[in-house]
Structures are given as C-alpha cells and as structure tokens.
C-alpha cells in the first residue's frame, strides 16, 4: 500500500470516528482501529465491498452516508451486557429502595443504556420477586438505547441458553419459557406478563432533552459514561438527573462514580446516588 493510499485510508477512518462521536458522543481513538474494522466487517460483507477502505469511500465519497450511518452506529456502539451484571446494585434496590416505596403508585424505573434488554429484564425479575412478598407493589420499566438493532432484540426478549446462565434456576423456571429456534438452537424467552411490564425505545443520550417522563424513581446509567468525554459526561448526568424525582436514585457503573458530579446527587453506596430535595 503506497503512502498516498495509507494517508487516504487514515483520513477516512478519522472522518468516520469524528462523525460517530458527533452523533453519539462515543469516543473512538485511533488505537481502536482494529476494533472498528472488526465491527464493520459484517456490514462490509452485507454491502458487498471487499474491504474497509472501499466501504469508507462508498460512505463518504459515494453519497451513502445517510443510508449507512445507522448501520455504522449499530455495529460500533458497545452492547456488552449480562443478566444480573454488577449484582450488588440489584441487592441495593431490594434492600434499600423498594422497602421505602409507597405502594399507592407504580415504581418507575429507567434503564438508560439498555442494550439487548438483559438489565431491564433482570430488574423486572427482581421487582416481580419483591411483589410476591409485598402485595400491591406495582412497577413500570423503560429501556432505551441508541441502537435500533439491540432495541428490536430487547423487545423480543429471546436469548440463547448461554445468555441466561446467571439467572438463578428458580427464577428461570418462573420467568422464562424454553424452546428451540427453527435451526435447533436452544433458546429462552421472557414470559409475556413480564415482557409487558417492560417497554423499549430507541434514544440517543446526547440528544437532549429526552422524550422520557420526569419523576423516575430509579435510573440505571451503567457502563456507558466511560465512552463519553468529560464535558459530555456532565451534560448527560445533568439531563438524567433532571428526570429523577427528589429522593430518586441514579446508579452508574462501578468505574463511573467520579462522573456523577451533579450537585443534586449524594452518594449512598458504591456507584449509587440519591437526588436530594432542593
């Protein structure tokens, strides 16, 4: 590859990273080029071009940016999640948040980076278990994510058997239906009564204000702030806190506590913050 071609390739990659950051707030440094190329590979095959450079030329010089950008965002946004991930947060809710909730109204929960739905459905399971012990307890759950692909998967509530291993067996029995795909893969689906408690929508955390109800009781914003720069972290935290009721809780990822800088928030446990009444 000649130096001129290398320069063009590098320039197109930088252009790609810049527009993804502009649209999503996610930082994509140059040392992530191998990761970027790996994630783009499936889309490159779908389009039918031979390599990354040809694809980027098609996007930026061939007039395909508007068509391809949603696909690029889908493959480049990180969607790693698991059932009962960082389980201490679910324990905190069960022990400290739910017992204080007044049952005259439904508790409102928002999973603000819900990916393929495991976090939102884990919460639904935890709340359903609590409702067995606390008659009258009601809840609503909203899950939002920037990727239309993962939102679609979350709505289906279908997972491989490998993906449900962290759900305790008694809860699997109560809240999952087992089956197989048409090609014989072992699957599990969240039962319909629980799926109906959880709504999913596509939403970009950097596009403010958010089309979400105010006065949320609990918001999970976990393992997404680390992909934003400091300024965007502050903007997102402020916007998220605006949607918490006074006395409501914001829970971030365990490595993200330092980003929760809104003066209305006080820390109550590791990565757990409460919005104080003004």
């Amino acid at each position: 590859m000649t130096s001129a071609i290398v320069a063009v390739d590098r320039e197109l990659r930088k252009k790609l990273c810049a527009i993804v950051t502009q649209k999503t707030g996610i930082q994509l440094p140059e040392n992530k080029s191998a990761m970027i190329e790996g994630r783009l590979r499936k889309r490159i095959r779908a389009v039918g071009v031979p390599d990354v450079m040809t694809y980027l030329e098609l996007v930026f010089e061939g007039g395909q940016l508007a068509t391809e950008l949603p696909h690029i965002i889908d493959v480049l946004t990180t969607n790693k999640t698991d059932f009962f991930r960082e389980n201490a947060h679910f324990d905190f809710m069960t022990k400290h948040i739910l017992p204080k909730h007044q049952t005259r109204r439904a508790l409102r929960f928002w999973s603000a980076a819900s990916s393929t739905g495991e976090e939102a459905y884990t919460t639904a399971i935890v709340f359903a278990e609590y409702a067995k012990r606390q008659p009258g307890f009601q809840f609503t759950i909203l899950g939002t994510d920037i990727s239309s692909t993962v939102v679609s998967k979350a709505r289906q509530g279908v997972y491989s058997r490998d993906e449900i291993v962290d759900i305790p067996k008694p809860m699997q029995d109560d809240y999952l239906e087992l089956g197989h795909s048409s090609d014989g893969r072992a699957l599990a689906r969240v039962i319909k009564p629980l799926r109906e408690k959880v709504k999913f929508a596509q939403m970009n955390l950097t596009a403010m204000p958010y089309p979400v109800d105010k006065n949320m009781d609990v918001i999970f914003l976990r393992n997404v702030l680390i992909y934003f720069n400091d300024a965007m972290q502050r903007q997102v935290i402020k916007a998220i806190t605006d949607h918490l009721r006074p006395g409501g809780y914001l829970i971030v990822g365990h490595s993200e506590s330092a980003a929760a800088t809104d003066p209305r928030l006080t820390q109550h446990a590791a990565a757990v913050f409460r919005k104080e009444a003004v």
Side-chain angles (χ1 to χ4, degrees):
M1 188 181 292
T2 68
S3 59
I5 293 174
V6 169
V8 170
D9 186 30
R10 183 180 299 115
E11 195 61 33
L12 289 174
R13 289 171 188 264
K14 287 173 64 177
K15 198 171 182 179
L16 174 71
C17 293
I19 197 166
V20 170
T21 299
Q22 176 191 346
K23 295 295 184 181
T24 70
I26 295 172
Q27 303 292 305
L28 294 171
E30 287 189 28
N31 62 4
K32 296 289 187 181
S33 59
M35 179 273 288
I36 293 169
E37 182 168 344
R39 293 194 174 192
L40 285 174
R41 205 165 284 140
K42 183 176 181 180
R43 185 61 192 165
I44 289 167
R45 289 196 298 268
V47 172
V49 294
D51 51 43
V52 171
M53 184 171 173
T54 307
Y55 177 70
L56 294 180
E57 288 173 342
L58 177 72
V59 169
F60 292 113
E61 298 169 7
Q64 296 300 306
L65 178 59
T67 300
E68 288 301 309
L69 187 57
H71 299 289
I72 291 169
I73 290 173
D74 270 351
V75 298
L76 291 185
T77 50
T78 299
N79 301 316
K80 166 65 177 173
T81 187
D82 299 294
F83 285 98
F84 287 92
R85 185 180 185 186
E86 298 181 359
N87 193 39
H89 292 156
F90 298 103
D91 286 341
F92 184 90
M93 281 202 300
T94 300
K95 294 175 182 176
H96 302 287
I97 298 178
L98 300 187
K100 297 177 184 177
H101 178 70
Q102 301 297 318
T103 57
R104 65 178 180 272
R105 64 170 179 81
L107 184 145
R108 295 178 289 265
F109 177 93
W110 178 16
S111 170
S114 58
S115 188
T116 44
E118 286 90 333
E119 179 176 273
Y121 287 126
T122 298
T123 304
I125 291 171
V126 169
F127 287 178
E129 287 291 293
Y130 182 76
K132 291 178 181 178
R133 306 187 300 273
Q134 185 63 47
F137 175 72
Q138 297 291 323
F139 60 91
T140 65
I141 295 175
L142 171 67
T144 61
D145 196 275
I146 192 173
S147 168
S148 59
T149 300
V150 301
V151 166
S152 177
K153 176 175 170 58
R155 286 181 178 138
Q156 295 170 17
V158 177
Y159 302 93
S160 72
R161 300 286 177 86
D162 290 339
E163 291 173 313
I164 67 168
V165 293
D166 291 323
I167 303 176
K169 185 61 168 60
M171 294 180 183
Q172 291 186 28
D173 295 340
D174 286 347
Y175 302 110
L176 299 175
E177 298 171 326
L178 303 184
H180 292 82
S181 65
S182 58
D183 60 359
R185 290 180 298 121
L187 301 176
R189 189 178 197 189
V190 179
I191 60 172
K192 185 176 180 180
L194 208 60
R195 293 200 314 274
E196 291 177 341
K197 289 284 191 180
V198 186
K199 305 301 181 186
F200 291 97
Q202 184 181 11
M203 198 197 80
N204 186 343
L205 285 168
T206 68
M208 305 162 196
Y210 302 144
V212 174
D213 290 340
K214 298 293 180 94
N215 295 321
M216 289 286 175
D217 294 288
V218 184
I219 301 175
F220 272 27
L221 182 70
R222 304 193 304 170
N223 307 306
V224 66
L225 292 170
I226 54 174
Y227 299 104
F228 300 150
N229 62 29
D230 291 348
M232 183 55 67
Q233 287 179 355
R234 289 191 293 272
Q235 291 179 50
V236 170
I237 286 291
K238 179 185 182 303
I240 286 285
T241 304
D242 287 344
H243 286 266
L244 271 178
R245 68 167 180 81
Y249 287 85
L250 170 64
I251 300 180
V252 299
H254 280 299
S255 64
E256 299 172 317
S257 289
T261 56
D262 191 283
R264 294 168 290 178
L265 298 174
T266 57
Q267 188 164 4
H268 280 245
V272 177
F273 297 83
R274 185 176 185 269
K275 181 179 178 179
E276 303 304 332
V278 179

